[in-house]
Amino acid sequence: MAEIFIVSGPEKGRSIPFEADTVVLGRAPENDIQVEDKSISRFHLRIERRGGQYFIRDLGSKNGTFIDGARIEPETEYEVKEGSPFALGKTFMSIGKSCEKETLAVLDSIDLSKVLDEEGALAKDRPLTAKKNMELIQKVSHAVMQSVDVKDVFEKVLTYIMELLQRVDRGVVILVDQKTKEISEVISILKSSKECSQPFSRMIVDRVLREGDPISIVDTGSETAENLSESILSMHIRSVMCVPLKSGSAVIGAIYVDSLKKPHGFRKEDLDLLLTLSSPAALAIQKSLLNSTQEESA
């Protein structure tokens, strides 16, 4: 007998045994397996078991199915490994066995509702962007689960962000030493090598690190001079967003992006997306620190 484990979403903690080699899963009661999540389509997914392996096929669902950070093609068969998470709408699940504790921690930190409307459907006014946001969140979660090298993780995270948010000219992750409270590492991706040698506004980052709250300025040209630092003016920053990376109540870093060419480069939804990404990103730091501690004590 096989088993499906729901590891996040409205039915988190539910396990569903099944005997048939082929089952259909969705929101409607007519399915072999019903999952009551409004972000899941009425008939969302087919699961087949063959020779101890599991294969899934998206049935043309509205919100899609995601494996390893990518949305799978509908009506196309994909193999999923036992215990490896995949997402349907707001629900993460695995087949054969539940995910490892480390993976569960990453999944728990991800808020898919930031890219879904209150009914669970992709935002109707910008569906293509919402789908891309979902793909970005999945890519980030996959990067965090696959690597303990924090620099490698954040270089991938920044690359993914800049691929999605085309107006970002500079993406930066700032890490803070918890003993000294000083900036310990800066990981940056610049769209152009000609950009200013200072990769971020120190005023913006210092404020986020100090207060622990996100900052977004959609148009620096509409701000009064007293609200802007010399660095913002000298670097010709037109739009900027910065969100804290937190471990509990402690701020352990920040994610910073800006646009140097055009005002209104970011929307509120983009800030929500960065905030959603900040949770698994913070877990990447914790994971790296734990791994370093274990190596030192070995």
Side-chain angles (χ1 to χ4, degrees):
M1 180 179 293
E3 195 164 6
I4 291 173
F5 297 86
I6 298 181
V7 296
S8 74
E11 293 200 58
K12 177 183 175 180
R14 180 185 174 196
S15 58
I16 311 162
F18 63 95
E19 294 184 353
D21 288 331
T22 300
V23 294
V24 177
L25 181 152
R27 192 178 74 251
E30 295 84 2
N31 286 277
D32 301 305
I33 297 173
Q34 182 185 17
V35 178
E36 296 185 5
D37 177 347
K38 291 181 180 179
S39 66
I40 291 177
S41 293
R42 286 178 53 79
F43 300 94
H44 196 113
L45 187 77
R46 178 182 292 115
I47 301 172
E48 293 189 21
R49 177 178 53 180
R50 298 198 300 267
Q53 295 174 290
Y54 297 95
F55 301 87
I56 64 175
R57 182 187 298 265
D58 184 276
L59 300 177
S61 65
K62 185 175 183 179
N63 286 338
T65 303
F66 296 81
I67 301 176
D68 289 345
R71 182 174 180 144
I72 67 174
E73 292 293 327
E75 301 298 344
T76 303
E77 189 175 82
Y78 292 81
E79 182 181 0
V80 290
K81 303 295 184 182
E82 282 193 330
S84 294
F86 56 96
L88 294 71
K90 293 182 182 179
T91 293
F92 280 100
M93 59 181 65
S94 63
I95 305 177
K97 62 181 180 181
S98 186
C99 305
E100 297 179 357
K101 289 183 179 180
E102 182 181 82
T103 302
L104 290 175
V106 174
L107 300 183
D108 280 342
S109 73
I110 298 171
D111 185 2
L112 294 182
S113 65
K114 293 294 186 183
V115 295
L116 298 169
D117 67 19
E118 61 183 7
E119 294 299 318
L122 287 169
K124 297 178 179 60
D125 59 332
R126 50 200 293 266
L128 293 179
T129 300
K131 290 177 182 177
K132 289 180 179 179
N133 286 356
M134 186 93 83
E135 291 172 1
L136 172 60
I137 292 169
Q138 290 286 306
K139 285 181 179 179
V140 169
S141 66
H142 183 65
V144 171
M145 289 185 287
Q146 293 298 312
S147 178
V148 296
D149 184 330
V150 70
K151 188 173 187 296
D152 175 64
V153 169
F154 282 121
E155 284 180 348
K156 288 180 179 178
V157 169
L158 292 173
T159 298
Y160 298 151
I161 290 173
M162 294 180 73
E163 287 175 351
L164 176 62
L165 304 180
Q166 292 293 312
R167 290 191 177 185
V168 171
D169 291 308
R170 302 183 300 186
V172 188
V173 172
I174 299 95
L175 305 182
V176 174
D177 185 294
Q178 289 305 288
K179 292 182 179 179
T180 65
K181 302 302 179 182
E182 298 293 327
I183 293 176
S184 60
E185 187 167 4
V186 175
I187 303 163
S188 61
I189 300 288
L190 309 181
K191 186 169 288 186
S192 170
S193 59
K194 297 180 181 179
E195 307 297 1
C196 179
S197 58
Q198 183 179 339
F200 59 87
S201 165
R202 187 64 188 247
M203 182 203 78
I204 295 291
V205 170
D206 284 349
R207 182 175 162 189
V208 169
L209 295 177
R210 181 177 65 253
E211 300 178 1
D213 295 319
I215 291 177
S216 175
I217 301 177
V218 296
D219 181 9
T220 60
S222 64
E223 297 286 329
T224 58
E226 56 266 25
N227 290 335
L228 302 176
S229 68
E230 290 185 7
S231 63
I232 289 178
L233 297 172
S234 65
M235 290 189 288
H236 306 292
I237 296 172
R238 299 304 306 272
S239 302
V240 59
M241 295 190 298
C242 187
V243 301
L245 298 173
K246 292 184 176 181
S247 174
S249 60
V251 178
I252 57 177
I255 300 177
Y256 169 101
V257 297
D258 66 19
S259 175
L260 304 179
K261 299 179 176 66
K262 296 180 180 180
H264 303 285
F266 312 117
R267 294 174 284 192
K268 179 184 181 301
E269 293 87 347
D270 299 328
L271 184 64
D272 288 340
L273 179 63
L274 275 194
L275 284 168
T276 296
L277 295 177
S278 68
S279 295
L283 281 173
I285 299 174
Q286 294 172 300
K287 180 180 175 183
S288 177
L289 291 174
L290 178 61
N291 184 67
S292 297
T293 301
Q294 292 174 339
E295 288 180 351
E296 289 174 1
S297 60

